[in-house]
Amino acid sequence: MTVAPKIPDTAAPRPLANGAPAIEVTNLTIAYGDFVIMRDLNFTVHQGDIFIIMGGSGCGKSTLLRVLIGLKEPAAGKVVYREGSLWDAPPETRAVISRRTGILYQSGALFSSMTLAENISLPLSQYTALTRRQIREVVSLKLALVGLAGFEDFYPSEISGGMCKRAGLARAMALDPDILFFDEPSAGLDPVSAHLLDELILELRESLKATFVVVTHELSSIFAIGNNSVYLDVETRTMTASGDPNKLLAESTDPKLRRFLTRGKE
Ligand SMILES: Nc1ncnc2c1ncn2[C@@H]1O[C@H](COP(=O)(O)OP(=O)(O)O)[C@@H](O)[C@H]1O
Ligand SMILES: [Mg+2]
């Protein structure tokens, strides 16, 4: 039996107990130049949440995600992780925060000229001191975790879109992040593959005790996996609801939110 090597991880603090705040967003305003996309966002992502950022097309979901992961500076407000305020922290602190976050982009974003193993090896060779052999073991472990055991030497073009997405997830998990960010993970997938990806996310939450922040407008995903959410309203350019999406569906009286959550079928 091979034992998975422990990734040296001296910089990252110990995981939080489930339910503690993982990301606190306060009075956040995001803008492109003078054009405000969203203002006055206030919400908390808790450890172990599958937190959904929802709202219609073009309302600012992807932009908000970019602010949360440190790629776009907000016009005002704070994004506070355990280590401190992301946009006020010194570079070392931001490095620690980004070291324990993983990101799965819309396309899966694998390099097409590299095998799955090579794709997943990238962050490991960049950020750890593991040997080639140890890296190979971690890669196999991550692929097994997403149901792709034995696909190490396949190229992205040789596998399906759903499998590419799962391989992208394996890469996002390479460094054992405790917060994973997804932008429209089921975009471009057939309903069966999309459903399998949802199941996988739920399984990973259980097994890894990770926190997920998921941008999506797929209703089936929202209700199947989300336990917490924020709804961004494109007209008023602010959030108009937050909380468990199933609870919002059962209890909210806001006509716009209801239209969104029922696809206008009410
Ligand atoms: N780089 C950019 N420069 C200026 N405006 C942008 C840029 N990226 C997105 N936008 C605008 O910001 C708004 C929100 O975009 P986005 O965050 O991609 O929305 P969503 O992900 O909810 O569909 C849209 O009106 C979009 O046109
Ligand atoms: Mg988007």
Side-chain angles (χ1 to χ4, degrees):
M1 200 187 103
T2 52
V3 177
K6 178 91 187 77
I7 297 176
D9 202 9
T10 45
R14 277 153 46 83
L16 288 171
N18 218 332
I23 313 172
E24 287 179 281
V25 168
T26 47
N27 302 324
L28 194 70
T29 292
I30 54 186
Y32 286 106
D34 291 338
F35 185 69
V36 171
I37 307 285
M38 277 285 139
R39 69 168 73 82
D40 302 328
L41 302 182
N42 289 281
F43 59 87
T44 302
V45 177
H46 295 97
Q47 177 80 14
D49 271 357
I50 297 181
F51 188 97
I52 313 280
I53 297 175
M54 54 186 187
S57 189
C59 68
K61 303 182 294 298
S62 296
T63 307
L64 172 58
L65 199 72
R66 288 167 52 77
V67 172
L68 298 183
I69 63 184
L71 292 178
K72 174 165 173 56
E73 192 165 5
K78 284 190 191 308
V79 176
V80 180
Y81 284 80
R82 259 187 293 163
E83 293 83 357
S85 173
L86 180 63
W87 289 99
D88 306 310
E92 312 83 71
T93 308
R94 288 181 53 176
V96 173
I97 296 171
S98 65
R99 171 71 176 72
R100 65 182 187 90
T101 56
I103 298 138
L104 176 65
Y105 292 104
Q106 197 152 328
S107 58
L110 298 168
F111 290 106
S112 58
S113 61
M114 294 182 183
T115 64
L116 299 192
E118 288 164 350
N119 267 287
I120 299 165
S121 299
L122 278 183
L124 292 162
S125 41
Q126 195 175 354
Y127 290 106
T128 73
L130 297 177
T131 64
R132 283 171 66 122
R133 194 178 153 171
Q134 287 172 322
I135 287 179
R136 186 85 188 172
E137 285 181 33
V138 177
V139 165
S140 295
L141 197 78
K142 301 297 171 185
L143 280 172
L145 211 53
V146 299
L148 289 174
F151 284 87
E152 282 83 349
D153 298 323
F154 281 64
Y155 286 88
S157 60
E158 297 175 313
I159 59 174
S160 72
M163 290 161 89
C164 277
K165 212 58 87 87
R166 283 187 275 141
L169 180 52
R171 190 178 59 185
M173 296 189 311
L175 297 171
D176 293 327
D178 50 18
I179 309 180
L180 279 151
F181 294 90
F182 294 179
D183 196 351
E184 305 274 7
S186 49
L189 294 185
D190 61 87
V192 174
S193 305
H195 177 70
L196 286 174
L197 193 65
D198 283 348
E199 302 265 278
L200 179 61
I201 292 173
L202 286 170
E203 267 171 46
L204 292 173
R205 194 225 340 222
E206 286 314 306
S207 57
L208 305 177
K209 306 289 176 214
T211 304
F212 292 83
V213 178
V214 184
V215 167
T216 184
H217 60 257
E218 286 295 328
L219 286 182
S220 53
S221 290
I222 290 173
F223 296 124
I225 65 175
N227 72 297
N228 199 355
S229 72
V230 64
Y231 176 72
L232 307 182
D233 177 46
V234 69
E235 284 165 23
T236 50
R237 297 204 195 138
T238 189
M239 58 186 274
T240 52
S242 63
D244 183 333
N246 288 286
K247 217 168 161 199
L248 291 175
L249 177 65
E251 295 172 5
S252 172
T253 54
D254 172 6
K256 270 193 276 190
L257 178 61
R258 295 211 66 79
R259 223 176 298 134
F260 178 84
L261 291 176
T262 62
R263 278 288 182 276
K265 289 200 182 104
E266 270 191 347

